[in-house]
Amino acid sequence: MDAIQDTPRIAGAGIPESAWQRSRWLAALPSIAAQDWLDGIARLVVVSPHPDDEALGCGGLIATARAIDLPVRVVSVTDGEACYPDAPAWPPAHLRVVRRQELERALALLGVDADAIDTLDIGDGRVAEREDALVAALAPLLQTRDRVLTTWRGDAHPDHEATARAVERAAAQCGAEVAQFPVWAWHWLSPDAPASPLPGAQRLVLTQAACRAKAAALACFASQLQDDAPGMPAPILPPHVLARFDRDFEVVLP
């Protein structure tokens, strides 16, 4: 989850979690146990635009999959190296190294070994212009009986939306199933909408163990968290943003 410039829907503090807790349409989404949602698949493949999107959007589901010994592979499309473009303390080369290390530590806490992580280095902020290259990189990594999970095609972040399009194209080549999860959408969607703006969405109910694993994984992304040191940029994941992902469920849609 990286900051994005000049995107009106991703501006300001966004919708607080307290408003989502009162959302009628979110509460009314069909619910299923996360473990049951995984029935019948051979492998879960999570394609994440930036390191931490996978933990934010489906960290609990990843932990659930590994708890039942379902294979999980995580594909990190970019290294999130451009998240602090105006911060001398965080040049892209340094961020690339740091964020890969954070991703590996976070996924280890979710039960995913380092050898089940693919890093593609497509270029933070450049996914849309390199979409064809992403399709070509993803295609050999996917298998017919996979369920491939990625960010929502309507998430309002260009990298997230381009990743979703590329995943749909690559998965179609082998017949793999695709599902998506919102990340930035919780920042700008209306909790008071008269009906769900996420067609076909479901709530995947998490166990307490999966929630704990997700929280521990998110804490690994220190580069994205609050830092009060003088001269440091505003964090990508301040407490009010993290609150939107501290739920006992995750949302997926076809």
Side-chain angles (χ1 to χ4, degrees), residues 17 19-38 57-58 60-61 64 180-182 186 191 196 198-207 211 244 246-254:
E17 178 58 17
W20 286 115
Q21 291 172 0
R22 299 189 300 269
S23 172
R24 292 184 179 181
W25 69 259
L26 180 58
L29 291 180
S31 293
I32 183 174
Q35 181 171 335
D36 292 343
W37 189 81
L38 296 165
C58 62
L61 184 64
T64 300
Q180 302 180 349
F181 56 85
W186 304 120
S196 170
L198 299 173
Q202 294 178 289
R203 291 163 59 117
L204 306 187
V205 180
L206 304 172
T207 64
C211 290
R244 301 178 196 136
D246 185 20
R247 301 169 175 170
D248 63 358
F249 65 92
E250 292 168 340
V251 173
V252 298
L253 61 159

Side-chain angles (χ1 to χ4, degrees), residues 24 66 73-74 108 121 137 180 183 185 203 215 221 227 233 238 245 251:
R24 292 184 179 181
R66 295 304 302 129
R73 188 152 207 98
V74 174
D121 193 18
Q180 302 180 349
V183 176
R203 291 163 59 117
F221 293 100
D227 193 328
F245 302 93
V251 173

Side-chain angles (χ1 to χ4, degrees), residues 84-252:
Y84 296 129
D86 301 318
W90 287 110
H94 178 55
L95 266 168
R96 180 177 285 108
V97 173
V98 168
R99 297 197 70 177
R100 287 193 182 194
Q101 293 171 342
E102 291 173 344
L103 178 64
E104 188 170 320
R105 288 194 293 268
L107 289 176
L109 292 175
L110 297 176
V112 179
D113 294 334
D115 61 3
I117 304 171
D118 294 290
T119 53
L120 301 184
D121 193 18
I122 288 292
D124 189 9
R126 299 180 56 205
V127 181
E129 67 183 79
R130 301 195 63 201
E131 195 172 314
D132 289 344
L134 178 54
V135 174
L138 288 173
L141 302 178
L142 305 182
Q143 301 170 11
T144 300
R145 293 186 59 210
D146 289 342
R147 180 169 288 163
V148 189
L149 191 55
T150 191
T151 42
W152 180 38
R153 66 179 69 84
D155 213 32
H157 188 303
D159 282 354
H160 290 207
E161 295 186 353
T163 296
R165 293 191 300 268
V167 166
E168 290 171 345
R169 291 168 58 195
Q173 295 181 25
C174 68
E177 181 184 351
V178 176
Q180 302 180 349
F181 56 85
V183 176
W184 274 110
W186 304 120
H187 184 94
W188 58 266
L189 279 179
S190 172
D192 300 320
S196 170
L198 299 173
Q202 294 178 289
R203 291 163 59 117
L204 306 187
V205 180
L206 304 172
T207 64
Q208 290 185 353
C211 290
R212 288 193 297 268
K214 178 176 181 173
L218 285 171
C220 292
F221 293 100
S223 69
Q224 308 299 288
L225 303 174
Q226 184 70 52
D227 193 328
D228 296 326
M232 293 301 293
I236 305 299
L237 297 175
H240 75 272
V241 170
L242 281 175
R244 301 178 196 136
F245 302 93
D246 185 20
R247 301 169 175 170
D248 63 358
F249 65 92
E250 292 168 340
V251 173
V252 298

